[in-house]
Structure formats: C-alpha cells, structure tokens
Amino acid sequence: MARKVKWLIGVIVAVMALWSVLWYGASVAAGKVLDRVERRSVEMGRDVRCENRTVSGFPFHIEVSCGQAGLDAQEQGIAADVDAVRSVALLYNPGLVITEADGPLTIKLSPAAGLTGELTGRWKTARSSVSAGLSGLKRASFVAEDVILSTTARTGLAGLEQVSLKDAQLHLRPNPEVPADFDVALTVSDMLTTRFGGELPTMDLRLLATAGNVGEALGFDPEMLIRTWLDNGGALDVESARFSSLGFSANASGPVTISEDGLVSGKVRLEISGMEKFPDLVAAVAPQYRDDAEQIASTFKSFSTDTKDGKVVISLFLRNGIVSAGLLPIGRIPNLF
C-alpha cells in the first residue's frame, strides 16, 4: 500500500513538473508572438504597442496584460491609446483567446483618415473572444456594454458631439452548410447621438447576413480579408437588416453584392412598419426635409404590394448604388468606401 501511495505521489509530482514546464514554454511563446506582432506591425507602417507587459495565469491559462496599449497608423491617419488590455488563452482549449480592455480609449484622426478630430471612448464592458487556427480566425465575437464615445475636437466630424449605446455585439462564424461562407450577426441597442447640441432619436440596428466565398478561415489582416472577399464577388445574403426608431421600423432582406469601389447592387425586399412615423423621424434629424419625407412615404405606399396591418412591403432594385422601385429611381446609396 505504501508503495502505491509513493508511486501515485511520484506520478502527481511528475505531471505537475511537466505541466509547469509546458506552462512556462507557452508563456515564453506568447511573449515571442507579441514581439513578432509588434515587429510586423512596424514593417507594415503600423506601430502596435503593449507597454508594461506581464505574463501570468499559472496553471490553467496564459494571461498577457498590457498596462497600456496603443496603435499608430500614420498612413491611415489613426493614432489610438487605451488603458489596460488583458488577453487570456486557455491551455485546455487551444486556439481560444479572450481579450478585455479598460477605458478610456483615445483616438486621434488626421487628414489621411479622410477627416480630423479626437474621440474619447468609455464603457462598462468591452470584450472579444476569438478562436484561431494556423490559417486564421475560425470564430470571432465582440461585445460592448454602456459605451459612450465623445469628441473633444469636432473638425471634420459633422458636428458630432457624443454617441452612446447600451449594447453592441458582433459575431462571426463559418456557415454550418458552406464553410467557405461566414455568418455575420450585428446588433446595436439604444444608440443615442448628439449633434450640434441636440439629441437625435434613439435608434436600434440589427444585421443577420452571410458573406459568400470568404474562405474557411478569417485572415489575421482585416484589409486583406475584405479585399479577398471583394475579389471573390463581394456577395452578401442579407437575412435581416433592421432599423427602428420613434415607432418607425424598416427591415430589408435579399442578396446583394458590393463592388471593389464600394457600390451596392442587388434586389431586396423592404418591409416597413409605422410608415406614418417616417416624416417625424426625418424631421427629428433634419427638419428641412420633412416635406421630402412625406413624399417618399406616399411613393412607397403606392408601390407597396401589401399594406395589411399598416405594413408597407416593396421590392427595391439596386444597381451600382442607384435605388429603384420598379422603373422609378428613388435614391442613391453612396460608396461604402
């Protein structure tokens, strides 16, 4: 019996020693990965910083903390700094990394970004969860709660003073049936914007869509990812793109494509509830366009295929950003980029 106990103790000690070695090796590897990321970012003209770095988490995870993190992308005209950032990799779930950031976040925009100004962000929670393989990201989720984004300098920001929202979520995953396609789910709740000293109506946004022919993994370079998707056709099958505010709601669905110039084409089914509230919504944002909004509401009702329960249902055709109801052009979607 004594031998068995000693043998068991010896096995436990050996396992603990081996696990300690593995943890130490993983912690060193994590530090080297960050070093490579920083070096590569400099080569790409983007200075990524992780100041006062520490590595902890023994025995079951690797936690890398930055006392302060920053990004300086001169070509893109963006400089950003944020307080403590923590990334946790679970040793028993390889590839899964959870990251949290503490505010405030400061973003400085220069003319290279297309506008100038300084933004400050604060939040209750800001967290990301990504699952990665050798080829890139397999899944990604981003969640933020009680976010307030304020401007301290408004040049080029069209009078924007503050944007607050209760909840924002973005989830990306491979489509279960077609792994080369990626499902996208985006929600923004209770978004309140202040411009020129006045508050715009509270808005809710939701998007459920599938991006076609992205690849079986999301690349680590967002710009390259978007470029590859556009080169492969830029197809987006929209299950639901919903906007609601002041009793008015619009839900669009259907297949669209986005060109390399950022122009949208396709056919969508638009279902509107509370059309009578549309002029009020437009007037709350831009009072001078109330008459135009009433005319648009009247036009949509005349083209509607179903007005049961007060809903307006209409098919819209998009061609290189031009929006038409039947043969009648009714508007234009500007270039997305």
Side-chain angles (χ1 to χ4, degrees):
M1 184 68 179
R3 287 185 178 181
K4 291 183 178 180
V5 172
K6 291 181 179 179
W7 180 83
L8 179 59
I9 293 175
V11 170
I12 293 175
V13 171
V15 169
M16 292 178 61
L18 179 59
W19 187 262
S20 298
V21 171
L22 291 174
W23 185 93
Y24 177 76
S27 66
V28 172
K32 291 183 177 180
V33 168
L34 283 179
D35 291 337
R36 286 198 300 269
V37 169
E38 292 180 353
R39 289 196 301 268
R40 185 179 179 186
S41 68
V42 172
E43 294 172 357
M44 298 175 64
R46 304 169 189 166
D47 182 14
V48 177
R49 305 183 306 278
C50 175
E51 301 176 7
N52 302 321
R53 183 197 306 170
T54 61
V55 180
S56 60
F58 181 83
F60 296 117
H61 63 268
I62 303 292
E63 179 175 332
V64 179
S65 300
C66 303
Q68 188 174 37
L71 167 67
D72 189 357
Q74 295 184 359
E75 293 185 4
Q76 290 75 30
I78 299 175
D81 291 284
V82 65
D83 274 4
V85 176
R86 298 172 299 280
S87 292
V88 178
L90 306 178
L91 295 182
Y92 51 85
N93 192 350
L96 178 63
V97 178
I98 301 171
T99 301
E100 292 185 340
D102 297 336
L105 165 70
T106 302
I107 302 176
K108 296 181 180 179
L109 304 172
S110 66
L115 47 82
T116 57
E118 183 173 316
L119 308 176
T120 300
R122 298 179 183 276
W123 51 81
K124 177 182 178 181
T125 302
R127 180 184 300 114
S128 71
S129 173
V130 300
S131 180
L134 295 177
S135 59
L137 301 181
K138 297 292 186 178
R139 293 172 177 262
S141 295
F142 306 89
V143 178
E145 297 177 334
D146 296 335
V147 179
I148 298 178
L149 182 64
S150 307
T151 63
T152 56
R154 297 187 301 179
T155 306
L157 295 175
L160 177 67
E161 295 177 351
Q162 181 173 287
V163 176
S164 64
L165 51 93
K166 183 176 181 58
D167 177 77
Q169 298 187 30
L170 173 63
H171 303 280
L172 306 171
R173 68 165 190 176
N175 184 276
E177 298 180 357
V178 185
D181 297 349
F182 263 76
D183 294 335
V184 181
L186 170 69
T187 60
V188 178
S189 303
D190 294 339
M191 183 172 69
L192 180 64
T193 303
T194 303
R195 294 176 62 236
F196 301 112
E199 291 185 350
L200 301 184
T202 301
M203 305 175 187
D204 293 324
L205 308 172
R206 184 185 69 179
L207 172 66
L208 295 175
T210 299
N213 204 15
V214 176
E216 295 191 6
L218 299 173
F220 292 107
D221 187 338
E223 292 184 10
M224 182 62 69
L225 168 66
I226 295 175
R227 178 56 54 191
T228 300
W229 174 58
L230 293 175
D231 290 342
N232 290 336
L236 190 67
D237 187 4
V238 180
E239 177 182 338
S240 174
R242 183 180 179 84
F243 167 87
S244 59
S245 179
L246 286 185
F248 170 86
S249 66
N251 186 73
S253 60
V256 299
T257 59
I258 302 175
S259 70
E260 295 182 359
D261 298 327
L263 294 174
V264 181
S265 300
K267 178 182 178 180
V268 301
R269 180 181 186 272
L270 184 63
E271 183 177 302
I272 299 174
S273 298
M275 177 59 85
E276 69 280 0
K277 299 291 186 180
F278 181 66
D280 295 335
L281 174 60
V282 173
V285 178
Q288 67 272 26
Y289 293 118
R290 183 184 184 93
D291 292 341
D292 295 333
E294 291 178 347
Q295 183 175 356
I296 291 174
S298 178
T299 300
F300 271 37
K301 287 182 179 179
S302 66
F303 278 92
S304 176
T305 58
D306 185 5
T307 55
K308 295 179 181 179
D309 301 324
K311 292 183 179 179
V312 173
V313 180
I314 185 171
S315 294
L316 298 179
F317 299 88
L318 296 76
R319 184 172 182 179
N320 294 327
I322 303 299
V323 183
S324 302
L327 298 177
L328 178 66
I330 60 174
R332 183 180 185 276
I333 300 176
N335 297 53
L336 299 182
F337 43 83

